[in-house]
Amino acid sequence: MNENLFASFIAPTILGLPAAVLIILFPPLLIPTSKYLINNRLITTQQWLIKLTSKQMMTMHNTKGRTWSLMLVSLIIFIATTNLLGLLPHSFTPTTQLSMNLAMTIPLWAGAVIMGFRSKIKNALAHFLPQGTPTPLIPMLVIIETISLLIQPMALAVRLTANITAGHLLMHLIGSATLAMSTINLPSTLIIFTILILLTILEIAVALIQAYVFTLLVSLYLHDNT
């Protein structure tokens, strides 16, 4: 069991070639679309959820910040579908890879910061030195604020990776315990299996919440720079 504990986090390959790209491109294919004038209930519910989510994230933004609405909505849909597909047996979750999360976070964070320095450089530089700071503390505060700015994408990527990985590991451990106890004690097996079902429901909620939190934090970074 210990040898296979992290097997589900290894990037899959097909004939020696990495299959992560195909897995990343698969979730958009599951999003239903309609070519008819009148949509069915699934399409209508999907559009309502997208409008509700985009409205909550874009309310605090100005006109320039709202130009990112399509990108942020696409981001939350991609992360949510990827996290949910990763809960299926014998599947691979790309968001458990720190490299992929950094590849999503760094360009979005850098774009928001560059936009802030281009549009309002005085306000952007003012974040490095709060008003009323004593003169002896100015160099230290500038260094601290610079470090805090640079670690924002790392913190965002690590948060998503850690939450998704921890849930998968816990489900793997409880599932292995259920299988091991099935031949020893049936009542204990039923109790552990019930815990596994409840944990699966919790992980479905965590998958959706983490997608929302990730996108919301990117939206907050954008709001601070527009």
Side-chain angles (χ1 to χ4, degrees):
M1 181 179 68
N2 293 331
E3 294 180 357
N4 299 327
L5 185 59
F6 295 94
S8 59
F9 303 111
I10 300 175
T13 57
I14 300 177
L15 299 177
L17 300 176
V21 177
L22 297 177
I23 298 174
I24 292 173
L25 295 177
F26 181 68
L29 300 178
L30 301 178
I31 305 300
T33 57
S34 177
K35 299 180 181 179
Y36 302 100
L37 181 62
I38 301 178
N39 297 325
N40 55 27
R41 294 180 180 179
L42 179 61
I43 301 294
T44 303
T45 304
Q46 172 187 304
Q47 292 178 350
W48 175 77
L49 288 174
I50 292 175
K51 290 181 181 179
L52 179 64
T53 305
S54 59
K55 181 179 179 181
Q56 289 182 350
M57 289 190 298
M58 293 293 109
T59 301
M60 58 183 173
H61 290 282
N62 54 20
T63 304
K64 184 179 294 185
R66 290 177 182 176
T67 57
W68 286 49
S69 59
L70 180 60
M71 183 182 299
L72 294 179
V73 170
S74 302
L75 180 65
I76 189 173
I77 292 175
F78 170 74
I79 297 177
T81 52
T82 304
N83 291 344
L84 291 176
L85 287 176
L87 295 176
L88 298 176
H90 305 289
S91 60
F92 173 71
T93 311
T95 48
T96 58
Q97 305 295 314
L98 182 60
S99 57
M100 176 183 165
N101 295 335
L102 285 174
M104 289 192 300
T105 307
I106 292 178
L108 295 172
W109 169 84
V113 172
I114 292 172
M115 181 182 293
F117 277 99
R118 289 185 60 184
S119 60
K120 48 179 186 179
I121 187 170
K122 292 184 179 180
N123 293 334
L125 294 176
H127 289 290
F128 293 94
L129 188 62
Q131 187 176 4
T133 304
T135 304
L137 297 179
I138 289 179
M140 183 181 298
L141 281 179
V142 171
I143 295 174
I144 293 174
E145 291 297 330
T146 303
I147 294 175
S148 66
L149 177 65
L150 295 177
I151 66 174
Q152 283 180 353
M154 176 63 73
L156 188 58
V158 169
R159 179 186 292 109
L160 178 60
T161 304
N163 281 282
I164 301 302
T165 303
H168 282 59
L169 285 175
L170 192 56
M171 290 179 62
H172 179 82
L173 291 173
I174 296 180
S176 300
T178 304
L179 185 61
M181 292 292 295
S182 60
T183 57
I184 301 175
N185 192 336
L186 183 59
S188 300
T189 303
L190 295 177
I191 295 175
I192 299 176
F193 183 70
T194 303
I195 296 175
L196 180 61
I197 294 177
L198 296 176
L199 180 62
T200 303
I201 297 174
L202 177 63
E203 283 303 311
I204 293 175
V206 169
L208 298 175
I209 292 172
Q210 288 303 316
Y212 179 77
V213 170
F214 186 94
T215 311
L216 181 61
L217 290 176
V218 173
S219 178
L220 291 176
Y221 295 157
L222 177 64
H223 175 68
D224 292 338
N225 292 278
T226 54

